[in-house]
Amino acid sequence: ASGGRAAAGALPGVLDAFPGAVHRTAVVGASISGPAASGSLQGPFADRPVGGDGREALASIGVGCACKKGLKAEVPNQDDFCIFRADEVCILGVFDGHGPYGHIIASLVRDLLPKLLVQDSAFSTDLGKALDTAFAQVQGYCFDLQTSLEFDCSISGTTATVVVIREGAMHVAHVGNSRAVLATMRDAEVACWDLTSDHSAGRDDERRRIQAAGGQVRRLEGDDAHRVFIPGRMYPGLALTRSIGDAVAAIAGVSCEPEVTCFGVQQDWGFVLVCSDGVWELVSSQEAVDIISGYPAGEGQSAVD
């Protein structure tokens, strides 16, 4: 890759950054083998294969995961995820691709972003800075690979939501609309707390940011969503204002810079959900935490299934 970046395959694994960790778990969305790898399609609700230690390893840390293809027959499963645990450090990520190469970009970001994050010199001292840097670096990898004609991210990209829990704090970084939600438990009542705010073109502050960058936000006749356009053109028409990839939309101000927030872990915290909009289009944050809270703490996989 150009710009001094190491080749993607040469990057050490995430858990290699924690050589002294006693408890180590890695579960990620695996690349689909066979014909599906080149873009052919799984059936509705088919599970994405799981790589690393497998779902069975998650029970011991109280985590569950599900990544099922939706009903769109014409596209592959474009969602991806990662879960890493090294003793008291936990890293969760959800990535929802869009566009013709969205599934490839989502998998690339799933693989690269956590590696770049843990290898950053600021990871142990300034996690917010390390998250900013990792998002920018993975965007650079996408553009490098497009330049070398390995794939096309001109109108394809992905959301990215990453949660890092360590040392009594939780950092959340995101671009796009894969929402992170916290469930709190008080007096036997379960309440939801949205940890992220969707980067949609209808959001006032994001619309102003796009306009200041020279882009245009419009809602076309018959369309429910506001979208980002290059002025005077009918493209790219992206409903998101932040993403990774989307080289054409970047010209109109769509940014890979994440919103990063930090929260101190509290005793009334129950659990965290990180999901793509395929979930949030069907259920509210409160409905989701109500469903999950109906299961015992040790049955995270049953709850998400």
Side-chain angles (χ1 to χ4, degrees):
S2 64
R5 278 185 278 271
L11 293 171
V14 173
L15 295 183
D16 291 339
F18 307 94
V22 176
H23 303 288
R24 298 153 62 91
T25 304
V27 178
V28 300
S31 299
I32 300 170
S33 60
S38 61
S40 64
L41 309 177
Q42 296 174 288
F45 306 118
D47 287 304
R48 173 177 286 280
V50 173
D53 298 322
R55 286 190 175 90
E56 299 78 9
L58 297 178
S60 63
I61 59 174
V63 177
C65 68
C67 187
K68 297 180 181 292
K69 185 184 183 303
L71 291 173
K72 293 181 180 178
E74 69 278 10
V75 295
N77 186 351
Q78 295 191 306
D79 288 354
D80 218 321
F81 69 94
C82 63
I83 302 165
F84 299 100
R85 184 258 185 125
D87 288 343
E88 301 306 312
V89 178
C90 186
I91 301 173
L92 313 173
V94 166
F95 315 96
D96 179 5
H98 53 263
Y101 294 88
H103 53 299
I104 297 174
I105 298 172
S107 293
L108 176 76
V109 175
R110 175 261 295 159
D111 184 48
L112 289 184
L113 198 154
K115 293 178 181 178
L116 294 166
L117 174 63
V118 300
Q119 291 163 26
D120 193 288
S121 59
F123 180 75
S124 59
T125 59
D126 188 344
L127 186 50
K129 178 181 178 182
L131 285 161
D132 278 336
T133 301
F135 274 69
Q137 286 180 320
V138 79
Q139 178 81 324
Y141 271 99
C142 285
F143 287 2
D144 284 348
L145 292 171
Q146 171 162 288
T147 300
S148 62
L149 302 179
E150 294 190 37
F151 65 79
D152 185 354
C153 67
S154 57
I155 56 171
S156 297
T158 185
T159 72
T161 300
V162 176
V163 176
V164 182
I165 304 171
R166 72 171 191 198
E167 299 175 349
M170 178 171 66
H171 283 74
V172 182
H174 82 294
V175 293
N177 60 358
S178 294
R179 190 186 313 162
V181 176
L182 174 70
T184 60
M185 313 287 197
R186 297 177 184 172
D187 301 324
E189 294 290 331
V190 181
C192 67
W193 177 14
D194 287 350
L195 302 174
T196 59
S197 179
D198 293 352
H199 292 131
S200 66
R203 186 173 138 181
D204 287 345
D205 58 338
E206 285 294 289
R207 183 184 70 251
R208 291 192 295 269
R209 187 185 60 76
I210 292 292
Q211 291 169 340
Q216 189 177 68
V217 173
R218 305 199 306 268
R219 185 170 65 185
L220 302 180
E221 184 177 355
D223 192 354
D224 292 334
H226 288 80
R227 298 182 183 275
V228 178
F229 296 89
I230 292 174
R233 300 290 186 267
M234 291 298 292
Y235 58 84
L238 189 65
L240 302 177
T241 56
R242 302 195 195 199
S243 67
I244 295 174
D246 291 308
V248 172
I251 299 172
V254 171
S255 174
C256 69
E257 180 180 356
E259 280 193 89
V260 181
T261 49
C262 179
F263 309 90
V265 176
Q266 304 297 315
Q267 289 188 341
D268 64 352
W269 284 14
F271 52 85
V272 174
L273 299 175
V274 188
C275 311
S276 69
D277 68 341
V279 170
W280 305 123
E281 288 176 351
L282 299 175
V283 298
S284 68
S285 298
Q286 186 62 53
E287 288 171 330
V289 301
D290 286 343
I291 291 169
I292 301 300
S293 65
Y295 289 80
E299 297 185 14
Q301 189 59 52
S302 296
V304 298
D305 284 340

